Amino acid sequence: MHTIPERDCLVSLSLTKRVPPNTSIVKETMAHETAIPSFSKNAMILDSPEPPSVWKEVTGTVKNALIPRGDKSFSPLSFFLSCIKGLFPVLQWGRSYNLKSFRSDFMAGLTLASLGIPQSIGYANLAKLDPQYGLYTSVVPPLIYAVMGSSREIAIGPVAVVSLLLSSMIQNIVDPTADPDTYLKLVFTVTFLTGIFQASFGLLRLGFLVDLLSHAAIVGFMAGAAIVIGLQQLKGLLGLGHFTNNTDVISVIKAVSSAVHQPWHSGNFLIGCSFLILILATRFIARRNKKYFWLSAIAPLLSVILSTLIVFITKADKHGVKIIQHVHGGLNPSSAKQIQLTQPYLAECAKIAIVCAVIALTEAIAVGRSFASVRGYRLDGNKEMMAMGFMNVAGSLSSCYVATGSFSRSAVNFSAGCKTAVSNIVMAATVFLALQLFTRLLYYTPVAILASIILSALPGLIDFKEAMSIWKVDKMDFVICLGAFLGVLFGSVEIGLSIAIIISFAKIIIRAIRPRMEVLGRIEGTEIFCSIRQFPMAIQTQSVLVIRMDSSFLCFVNANFIRERIIRWVMEARDTIIEKAGDKLESVIIDMSNVTNIDTSGLSTLEEIHKELVFLNLQMAVANPSWTVIHKMKVAGVTASIGGEWIFLTVADAIQACLASKKENV
């Protein structure tokens, strides 16, 4: 949808205030009156100072980020203290923290732990790791994030999508069943590199890398990953001994079909489905009545307790029900020596780490921003990247795998009334106590209950309404969404992400090569010029053709297209004016209000357009060039070729000059 350029609007509105509503400087009925171009405005454009270089802008941004603007008392000590406060937001909000806030955070943390403990065990199983590694990941990373993160509601820990990423990509290097020790070392190595990448993104202010995955790509990717994760849980839900390691839907369906002929025990399916129904029922009740949010939060933990008791009492493990057996408890052991930063797997680990870093940051920042907007505060993306990076580096050294913000647990944290990130500390302490005291009680926990807990969390990843909204708003974005979805579903996680990124870049390139251009007309009674296609009531000034470039960068990829389009419209307009009005086209105005930059190919194109218009005996004028554009035009000599008197601040000034020139030539 096209909008009226802001600079034109400001100038037009300021002029409209001084002119009665029923008059206009550029009215066709007043074309015969004397119109004098404003040479002072031309001088303002041509005599503007040199714009700042890219280097100055970069250094200025870094300087403003490090040194407070206008701080006369700046010193190395104040700089150090400013950096410490920026790195540890807890030093700012911790001053006003009180007992009332702690009560809210304490209850929220306990509620969070009741959901986090069973989910952590289930997600560790999804990552093809022993259960304790999921619990470890819910201890150290939340503690680091609590002092470094800027979000009050994000709940840190393992999540389904990242667990799937790790298992699906690392198993292509090492089989977790054949060589579990090497697989575990690669998991810690990937986690360490993920943290390094995330911290680097924040330190170098490279947050735009997270935006490489558009909103549409994330919607499609999450939906595809949810279905793949759900299909993978059929192994635990049915109690199958042999299952495919591939994540595509065709391989999973083949594995399930072949498993039908193998012996399997209905007890696994009965336990899994029964408690899955229980968890979904409590969630339905909680959505209908917000007061019972705690019911859906404790349902997974309650399911683990009840199913474990049932298996223990009935001795169901002796009759084919699979249990998780021994879970190592105690303090997180050190894993520093298990991180391998040497060949032969370093390159593969780095590739997996960059994917995990971007996906984890995208999910966490999206979750954090959604809750921050509700609470009315701003989430600092660079601080979030730093916090996520440091917590994953620390986690990799303490037997944790990649952690990030969980949407389902963050929603529970928010509903439970958390005030600050202290709720993460309470949750981590509760999980730590569970590791110390209760891991032995998990021996008889059925594997099917872990599958049901994961399955219950998947519907939140499939946003059908948002996909339909994307279809209505932007068909190209829907293609990106569909490409990511089908790529993950029928290929792999890497294929889905690659398809989404390739289509996204193709969209950008196509729009850059073939930018939209508009013929402008004036809204009667105003000095506002806009597209005649968008506003059919807009009036075109006779003998003058106004064309606007809707491209921010006039460069080598679109210069030839723009030149051909302008010349074609000029030829068509000249014939139309002669046929309809009996007049002739005398001037062409190029509105460059949307062009923020130009390269040498673009400058050459402007000169070629000017030469072709001169050959057609037409006067060319340029309106509203940006600071960078006019500077490059002066340096390249384009202003001298066009003529400095034919470069204007607004389209209205340009039309006024063209009509005056027409009268002088008559």
Side-chain angles (χ1 to χ4, degrees):
M1 183 174 183
H2 302 288
T3 57
I4 301 168
E6 181 179 353
R7 284 175 285 181
D8 281 359
C9 290
L10 292 175
V11 174
S12 302
L13 289 174
S14 63
L15 291 174
T16 305
K17 290 180 180 179
R18 299 192 295 268
V19 182
N22 59 346
T23 62
S24 176
I25 296 174
V26 201
K27 217 168 186 178
E28 285 75 13
T29 57
M30 299 177 62
H32 63 281
E33 296 183 16
T34 304
I36 303 174
S38 177
F39 295 106
S40 60
K41 291 182 180 180
N42 297 65
M44 287 171 57
I45 299 176
L46 297 174
D47 296 338
S48 58
E50 182 177 344
S53 63
V54 175
W55 173 249
K56 286 184 178 180
E57 290 183 348
V58 172
T59 55
T61 301
V62 175
K63 182 179 178 181
N64 291 333
L66 297 178
I67 302 176
R69 183 177 295 180
D71 189 358
K72 297 181 180 179
S73 61
F74 176 77
S75 65
L77 179 60
S78 63
F79 170 72
F80 175 75
L81 293 176
S82 177
C83 290
I84 292 298
K85 289 180 180 178
L87 195 59
F88 299 100
V90 66
L91 297 177
Q92 298 178 11
W93 59 261
R95 296 177 181 177
S96 58
Y97 195 72
N98 52 39
L99 183 59
K100 183 179 179 181
S101 297
F102 177 73
R103 289 173 182 170
S104 299
D105 288 334
F106 183 76
M107 295 306 300
L110 292 179
T111 307
L112 198 57
S114 67
L115 176 63
I117 290 174
Q119 281 193 348
S120 298
I121 296 172
Y123 293 151
N125 184 52
L126 180 60
K128 291 182 170 54
L129 296 171
D130 292 334
Q132 66 269 15
Y133 293 107
L135 296 174
Y136 293 157
T137 307
S138 293
V139 175
V140 174
L143 293 176
I144 302 297
Y145 182 84
V147 297
M148 297 189 67
S150 58
S151 173
R152 305 170 193 169
E153 297 82 19
I154 284 184
I156 298 298
V159 296
V161 174
V162 175
S163 300
L164 173 68
L165 276 172
L166 285 172
S167 63
S168 64
M169 298 179 76
I170 296 180
Q171 71 181 8
N172 293 330
I173 305 173
V174 175
D175 189 348
T177 56
D179 192 356
D181 292 336
T182 304
Y183 180 83
L184 185 61
K185 291 178 181 179
L186 293 185
V187 169
F188 294 147
T189 304
V190 169
T191 303
F192 177 80
L193 294 176
T194 298
I196 294 295
F197 284 132
Q198 290 174 332
S200 301
F201 294 163
L203 186 64
L204 301 176
R205 306 181 75 84
L206 299 178
F208 68 91
L209 293 175
V210 178
D211 297 328
L212 289 177
L213 289 175
S214 64
H215 173 67
I218 290 297
V219 171
F221 171 77
M222 289 294 186
I227 295 176
V228 168
I229 292 170
L231 292 174
Q232 289 287 326
Q233 299 316 301
L234 292 176
K235 176 183 179 181
L237 200 64
L238 299 175
L240 302 177
H242 301 283
F243 205 71
T244 179
N245 288 329
N246 297 328
T247 58
D248 62 285
V249 63
I250 296 177
S251 298
V252 174
I253 291 175
K254 287 182 178 179
V256 174
S257 300
S258 60
V260 172
H261 305 290
Q262 301 175 7
W264 64 284
H265 302 277
S266 58
N268 295 282
F269 184 75
L270 182 61
I271 291 174
C273 287
S274 299
F275 285 99
L276 176 60
I277 294 172
L278 173 64
I279 295 172
L280 294 178
T282 57
R283 185 172 300 171
F284 176 77
I285 294 172
R287 288 179 178 176
R288 295 293 298 270
N289 193 333
K290 299 296 182 182
K291 295 180 180 179
Y292 297 108
F293 73 91
W294 56 270
L295 192 60
S296 64
I298 68 169
L301 183 59
L302 187 63
S303 299
V304 170
I305 295 173
L306 292 177
S307 62
T308 303
L309 286 174
I310 291 172
V311 172
F312 176 74
I313 293 172
T314 62
K315 306 294 182 183
D317 57 309
K318 304 295 184 181
H319 300 86
V321 173
K322 294 193 173 183
I323 56 176
I324 62 176
Q325 297 181 358
H326 186 64
V327 178
H328 293 280
L331 184 67
N332 289 35
S334 173
S335 56
K337 294 183 179 180
Q338 294 180 278
I339 297 175
Q340 297 181 333
L341 299 179
T342 57
Q343 295 296 342
Y345 302 122
L346 182 60
E348 289 83 355
C349 287
K351 182 187 72 172
I352 299 171
I354 192 70
V355 175
C356 290
V358 172
I359 293 296
L361 285 175
T362 302
E363 183 173 358
I365 292 176
V367 171
R369 284 176 177 170
S370 62
F371 288 109
S373 62
V374 175
R375 287 280 177 90
Y377 69 93
R378 180 179 172 274
L379 192 73
D380 192 323
N382 289 307
K383 288 182 180 179
E384 287 297 289
M385 293 178 189
M386 293 281 288
M388 295 283 174
F390 278 102
M391 76 179 192
N392 278 315
V393 169
S396 67
L397 301 175
S398 54
S399 300
C400 305
Y401 70 97
V402 179
T404 188
S406 165
F407 183 81
S408 60
R409 294 197 295 276
S410 298
V412 169
N413 197 27
F414 176 81
S415 300
C418 73
K419 300 298 181 183
T420 66
V422 171
S423 60
N424 274 288
I425 299 178
V426 175
M427 179 201 69
T430 306
V431 175
F432 175 73
L433 289 176
L435 278 166
Q436 295 291 332
L437 304 175
F438 304 122
T439 51
R440 294 181 180 179
L441 302 179
L442 296 174
Y443 184 89
Y444 290 99
T445 301
V447 175
I449 197 64
L450 303 181
S452 65
I453 290 172
I454 295 175
L455 286 171
S456 68
L458 298 183
L461 299 178
I462 303 175
D463 197 339
F464 182 77
K465 290 183 179 179
E466 186 62 24
M468 290 298 97
S469 177
I470 292 171
W471 166 259
K472 294 176 183 178
V473 174
D474 192 322
K475 300 298 188 291
M476 193 66 180
D477 270 358
F478 183 78
V479 173
I480 296 172
C481 177
L482 188 63
F485 175 75
L486 296 177
V488 172
L489 199 60
F490 292 100
S492 63
V493 172
E494 306 97 293
I495 292 175
L497 292 174
S498 300
I499 291 175
I501 293 175
I502 290 172
I503 298 176
S504 298
F505 275 100
K507 171 187 174 181
I508 296 172
I509 293 171
I510 290 172
R511 292 185 176 177
I513 293 175
R514 299 180 64 86
R516 192 178 293 275
M517 300 176 64
E518 297 293 340
V519 175
L520 304 185
R522 178 182 57 80
I523 300 295
E524 189 173 5
T526 70
E527 290 176 7
I528 298 175
F529 291 84
C530 52
S531 169
I532 60 174
R533 292 195 298 175
Q534 183 181 357
F535 300 95
M537 74 289 294
I539 302 171
Q540 287 185 261
T541 304
Q542 291 183 5
S543 76
V544 179
L545 178 64
V546 185
I547 300 175
R548 185 180 69 209
M549 301 179 188
D550 284 343
S551 174
S552 61
F553 192 13
L554 177 54
C555 58
F556 66 97
V557 298
N558 56 26
N560 189 57
F561 171 81
I562 289 174
R563 182 187 64 81
E564 292 179 352
R565 178 66 63 87
I566 289 176
I567 298 303
R568 191 184 73 187
W569 281 356
V570 167
M571 301 298 291
E572 292 176 356
R574 188 175 63 169
D575 297 338
T576 302
I577 290 175
I578 293 175
E579 291 178 4
K580 291 185 177 181
D583 203 346
K584 65 176 182 178
L585 182 65
E586 295 191 354
S587 305
V588 177
I589 299 173
I590 308 297
D591 179 10
M592 301 186 69
S593 56
N594 289 335
V595 182
T596 58
N597 207 340
I598 191 170
D599 68 355
T600 53
S601 298
L603 293 169
S604 299
T605 295
L606 285 180
E607 286 191 305
E608 291 175 8
I609 293 172
H610 177 254
K611 290 177 182 178
E612 293 193 43
L613 293 180
V614 169
F615 178 77
L616 296 172
N617 199 27
L618 298 174
Q619 177 61 54
M620 174 179 165
V622 175
N624 208 5
S626 70
W627 193 4
T628 303
V629 170
I630 191 63
H631 172 70
K632 291 185 177 181
M633 288 175 65
K634 287 192 295 183
V635 172
V638 177
T639 55
S641 301
I642 298 175
E645 68 276 11
W646 291 104
I647 298 176
F648 302 92
L649 185 61
T650 68
V651 174
D653 291 338
I655 290 182
Q656 190 177 24
C658 291
L659 295 178
S661 176
K662 175 184 176 182
K663 181 180 177 182
E664 290 175 2
N665 295 332
V666 172

